[in-house]
């Protein structure tokens, strides 16, 4: 893990800002970053403020504060206070899944073989600008394969790149390590909405009924009609190219960079002398005869074998991507980490070192559950969807859905849970406007991903590994948003006429 010393004793003025500030876009990013560093609260403060923003919005749009479900005047379920309370623990299973995926991802990424891979990759960029663009490109590619692993893998890669290119702006590297979650993850192999509508066991009955009403007798939308359509692939490539290009241009020049050293952050190498992964026990003392279990790979291999047999049976006769869910991803990460660390004591150490990265999730997810409850258990979501349909036409519906998904994503940053609430309204509107339902899943996901560039919720694991705070990187993520989100809107608008249901 990254160690920080004297973090708060940072410079008030960008080092050498008069000498080399980079290009115009780099200067814009630096201005946004200076603003966020001064004014933006920490991620926990963001969710505290967000709770009352949603509460006030509900009151302003006519939702009662204390209405009970047995109130004869009830239009939908609960008042805002009761909805908040019901939602508070509604994400508890998801919270544990996310904590485990963060710890498991960290354990895999810090294992010997993966650490060596990251070390080799980190040697590729040779200057600050290429370092920032390289981390962005790898982070987006990794998130397309699996968003959870990318959060950890890209963060550790950014840290190692910063060690090899010490003049690179550490904040920009941190922002680019997170870029995949703000661009292409939902269009990839772990995109929650696409996986849900493709599986009868994952897609709620009301969603399946709306899909059937749109002409799909199965009530499902296969991945071949969502993320694997050529239109979805083209839209994803457009956002990817825009993201890498922007990363190149927003990288500050050496004169304006705040390096890890400027921020008081010590970065130990992943492998070698003084490394975070050194392959040796910390105590270095003589082993007791009873310690053989910690050092022998025997039982680790037996557990991996047990899990492998289960996974083969689990996926047998099923579509791999349709059967893949968070529990399965967590099991795969756990088994892979156990195998890569080889000896049980190394696995135990990796989990202990990775646990702090999950602290923000454990603290903040319940509060986001409360926000989720205020939107899901009152009339807020339906009201927003109604406004959406009234303002739409067949041509405008895709970009408006992307904007709608983005706005809701800022306050409820949980693609799968949010989609369950909104899918019936969005897909019903798509049916009425004769817009392909599979394309609407793609559009919805692009908007959902863009919200993460303005929302520190999913940044927490990356920030914990890098030793940064949300305000350190959100100036850069906001600058990326100003380019990537419009690119997504243009892509979904221009490609929509080429989609056939």
């Amino acid at each position: 893990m990254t160690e920080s010393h004297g973090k708060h004793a940072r410079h008030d003025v960008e080092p050498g800002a008069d000498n080399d500030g980079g290009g115009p876009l780099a200067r814009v990013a630096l201005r946004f970053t200076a603003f966020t560093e001064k004014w933006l609260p920490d991620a926990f403060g963001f969710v505290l403020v967000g709770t009352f923003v949603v509460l006030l919005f509900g009151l302003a749009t006519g939702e009662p504060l204390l209405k009970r479900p047995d109130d004869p005047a009830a239009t939908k379920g609960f008042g805002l206070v009761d909805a908040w309370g019901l939602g508070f623990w509604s994400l508890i299973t998801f919270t544990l899944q996310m904590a485990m995926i963060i710890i498991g991802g960290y354990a895999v990424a810090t294992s010997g073989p993966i650490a060596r891979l990251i070390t080799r990759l980190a040697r590729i960029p040779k200057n600050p600008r290429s370092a920032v663009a390289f981390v962005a490109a790898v982070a987006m590619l990794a998130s397309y394969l699996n968003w959870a692993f990318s959060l950890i893998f890209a963060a550790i890669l950014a840290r190692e790149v910063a060690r090899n290119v010490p003049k690179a702006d550490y904040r920009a590297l941190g922002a680019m390590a997170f870029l995949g979650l703000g661009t292409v993850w939902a269009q990839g192999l772990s995109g929650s909405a696409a996986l849900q509508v493709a599986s009868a066991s994952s897609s709620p009955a009301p969603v399946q009924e709306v899909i059937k009403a749109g002409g799909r007798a199965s009530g499902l939308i296969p991945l071949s009609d969502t993320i694997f359509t050529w239109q979805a692939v083209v839209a994803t490539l457009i956002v990817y190219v825009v993201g890498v290009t922007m990363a190149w241009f927003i990288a500050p020049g050496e004169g304006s960079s705040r390096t890890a050293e400027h921020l008081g952050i010590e970065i130990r190498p992943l492998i070698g002398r003084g490394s975070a992964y050194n392959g040796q026990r910390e105590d270095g003392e003589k082993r007791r005869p009873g310690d053989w279990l910690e050092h022998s790979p025997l039982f680790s291999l037996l557990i991996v074998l047990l899990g492998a047999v289960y996974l083969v049976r689990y996926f047998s006769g099923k579509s791999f991507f349709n059967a893949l869910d968070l529990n399965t991803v967590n099991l795969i990460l756990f088994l892979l980490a156990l195998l890569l660390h080889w000896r049980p004591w190394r696995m135990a150490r990796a989990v202990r070192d990775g646990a702090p990265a999950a602290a923000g999730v454990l603290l903040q997810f319940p509060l986001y559950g409360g926000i989720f409850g205020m939107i899901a258990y009152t009339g807020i979501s339906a009201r927003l969807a109604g406004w959406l349909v009234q303002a739409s036409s067949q041509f405008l519906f895709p970009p408006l859905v992307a904007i709608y998904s983005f706005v809701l994503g800022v306050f409820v940053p949980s693609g799968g849970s949010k989609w369950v609430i909104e899918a019936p309204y969005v897909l019903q509107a798509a049916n009425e406007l004769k817009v392909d339902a599979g394309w609407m899943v793609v559009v919805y996901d692009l908007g959902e991903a863009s919200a993460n560039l303005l929302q520190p919720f999913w940044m927490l694991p990356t920030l914990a590994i890098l030793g940064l705070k949300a305000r350190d990187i959100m100036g850069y993520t906001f600058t990326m948003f100003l380019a990537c989100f419009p690119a997504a809107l243009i892509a979904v608008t221009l490609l929509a006429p080429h989609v056939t249901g």
Side-chain angles (χ1 to χ4, degrees), residues 178-189:
F178 178 73
L179 186 59
L181 267 288
T183 52
V184 302
W185 78 269
Q187 299 300 100
L189 306 183

Side-chain angles (χ1 to χ4, degrees), residues 15-81:
D18 295 333
N19 298 325
D20 180 13
L25 289 175
R27 289 192 290 272
V28 169
L30 285 170
R31 290 191 182 100
F32 284 137
T33 302
F35 176 84
T36 58
E37 285 183 329
K38 183 175 181 179
W39 295 104
L40 198 72
D42 193 15
F44 186 49
F46 196 95
V47 68
L48 294 175
V49 172
T51 298
F52 289 96
V53 168
V54 174
L55 181 69
L56 293 174
F57 177 80
L59 292 174
T61 55
E63 294 298 324
L65 187 65
L66 298 172
K67 179 177 63 182
R68 298 294 301 180
D70 55 357
D71 187 334
T75 55
K76 181 178 179 180
F78 296 85
L80 289 164
V81 171

